[in-house]
């Protein structure tokens, strides 16, 4: 005959193991659900990264046509756009404004770039480029008409 105490211990242990098995099955189901959710999140992240890369590529300067002439468009300043995306003459203008001791007038920028600022026809195109850089977020124009870099 079997010992009743021993039988009771076996039954208690079996009940413990059944409970642990039930908990583990529940945890395994939760893990599978979370894995599926992570796979979906990964696919969404991949799609978003592709879309962001496409958007960044579309922000890059692209030649356009104005009056039958090919011109370079000036991109807006955003976190993904570097100064190197600007045409070289705009990069030189930014460098001249940056090197100045403080805010500068268009005439001072022209002097720094070696432009004959005594000729209005040479100064106004420079002023237009400075304003374009302001409009695109690369520079800031103060109320007194001077230009400075963005913070």
């Amino acid at each position: 005959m079997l010992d009743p105490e021993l039988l009771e211990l076996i039954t208690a242990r079996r009940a413990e193991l059944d409970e642990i098995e039930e908990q583990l099955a529940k945890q395994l189901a939760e893990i599978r659900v979370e894995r599926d959710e992570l796979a979906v999140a990964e696919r969404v992240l991949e799609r978003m990264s592709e879309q962001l890369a496409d958007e960044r590529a579309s922000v890059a300067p692209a030649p356009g046509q104005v009056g039958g002439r090919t011109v370079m468009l000036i991109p807006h300043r955003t976190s993904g756009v570097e100064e190197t995306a600007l045409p070289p003459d705009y990069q030189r203008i930014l460098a001249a404004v940056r090197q100045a001791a403080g805010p500068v007038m268009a005439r001072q920028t022209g002097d720094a770039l070696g432009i004959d600022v005594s000729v209005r026809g040479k100064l106004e195109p420079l002023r237009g480029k400075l304003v374009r850089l302001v409009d695109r977020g690369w520079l800031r124009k103060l109320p007194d008409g001077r230009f400075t870099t963005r913070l």
Side-chain angles (χ1 to χ4, degrees):
M1 176 134 181
L2 294 174
D3 184 4
E5 286 181 24
L6 201 50
L7 257 168
E8 191 175 315
L9 286 174
I10 291 173
T11 304
R13 182 63 181 152
R14 182 171 284 136
E16 269 182 58
L17 291 175
D18 288 344
E19 187 176 320
I20 291 171
E21 181 182 27
E22 188 177 314
Q23 289 173 354
L24 289 174
K26 184 178 177 183
Q27 284 180 337
L28 182 59
E30 290 171 357
I31 287 170
R32 287 181 176 149
V33 166
E34 188 172 350
R35 274 189 167 172
D36 292 343
E37 289 173 351
L38 286 174
V40 169
E42 188 175 34
R43 285 193 302 271
V44 168
L45 183 60
E46 286 173 5
R47 286 183 190 146
M48 289 177 64
S49 295
E50 290 170 4
Q51 287 176 348
L52 185 58
D54 290 345
E55 287 174 14
R56 283 186 179 153
S58 70
V59 171
Q65 290 286 324
V66 175
R69 287 187 0 202
T70 300
V71 295
M72 184 62 72
L73 302 176
I74 308 305
H76 286 276
R77 180 180 180 196
T78 60
S79 60
V81 178
E82 299 293 325
E83 273 184 40
T84 55
L86 293 170
D89 54 334
Y90 284 86
Q91 290 179 36
R92 285 191 300 274
I93 292 169
L94 275 176
V97 172
R98 221 179 250 118
Q99 290 171 358
V104 293
M105 298 297 286
R107 185 173 302 276
Q108 293 168 297
T109 306
D111 283 337
L113 294 171
I115 295 172
D116 184 4
V117 294
S118 64
V119 178
R120 188 171 179 87
K122 295 193 183 223
L123 184 60
E124 288 310 311
L126 173 61
R127 189 181 321 278
K129 289 178 180 181
L130 286 162
V131 169
R132 197 167 296 116
L133 287 170
V134 169
D135 292 342
R136 302 299 198 288
W138 293 96
L139 291 177
R140 201 165 50 108
K141 187 174 182 182
L142 302 177
D144 63 1
R146 294 181 301 159
F147 297 90
T148 186
T149 56
R150 283 238 177 250
L151 297 176

